[in-house]
Amino acid sequence: MKTFERLQQLDGSQFHRVADALLSRIEPRFRGLRPHGLNEAGQSIKGQPDSYVGNSAQTCTIAFCYTTDSGDWWNKLVRDVGDAAKASPAAQEIVVAVPRDVDRDGPKDKTIDWEGKATSAAGNAKLTIYDGRKLSRYLDEDYQDTGTVPLH
């Protein structure tokens, strides 16, 4: 099974752990990433941000949002970005990671500008998106040791 396909099969907490492990390694500005959306048992909990860089979720400089929804994931992404912007008003960047291919798995109606809506929902923060294709490329080529969940 390919890494991209395996990413799509992870549950929310598994994807959260893999995304945190990978993202904290690929960009120097993400090095201080702190998980926020997992409880002590490692299960996903509601609320945003899912992780952040900074002293607290409220004062962080970078907020992270993850969703494993498969249906209309783009609408969930827009809601999550808006919630993260409200919960983390000092954030200069909101990073989104999804296990989907944003070019091929998006809305069938190509007039829906979900990325524009997400950018607007981010407010003054820069929006950065890591989709499943990009994540799987990093995992396959540069960071094979990152997966906290077996990906192969």
Side-chain angles (χ1 to χ4, degrees), residues 65 67 71-82 94-122 127-132:
C65 304
T67 183
D72 65 344
W73 58 265
W74 53 91
N75 287 321
K76 172 85 165 56
L77 182 149
V78 171
R79 286 191 304 274
D80 286 354
V81 168
I94 297 176
V95 178
V96 175
V98 295
R100 310 287 161 225
D101 181 332
V102 297
D103 293 316
R104 294 188 178 107
D105 299 334
K108 299 291 183 226
D109 179 354
K110 298 304 179 192
T111 64
I112 296 174
D113 183 15
W114 64 267
E115 192 171 351
K117 291 177 183 177
T119 299
S120 293
L127 179 68
T128 304
I129 300 172
Y130 287 85
D131 76 341

Side-chain angles (χ1 to χ4, degrees), residues 125-144:
K126 173 187 171 188
L127 179 68
T128 304
I129 300 172
Y130 287 85
D131 76 341
R133 292 276 178 210
K134 190 173 192 176
L135 294 170
S136 63
R137 184 184 60 78
Y138 278 117
L139 288 165
D140 287 340
E141 295 176 9
D142 301 322
Y143 298 100
Q144 292 105 358

Side-chain angles (χ1 to χ4, degrees), residues 23-24 27-35 51-55 64:
L23 293 173
S24 66
E27 295 284 349
R29 69 186 186 277
F30 300 162
R31 292 265 156 70
L33 186 147
R34 295 174 59 175
S51 295
Y52 62 86
V53 173
N55 293 325
F64 295 80

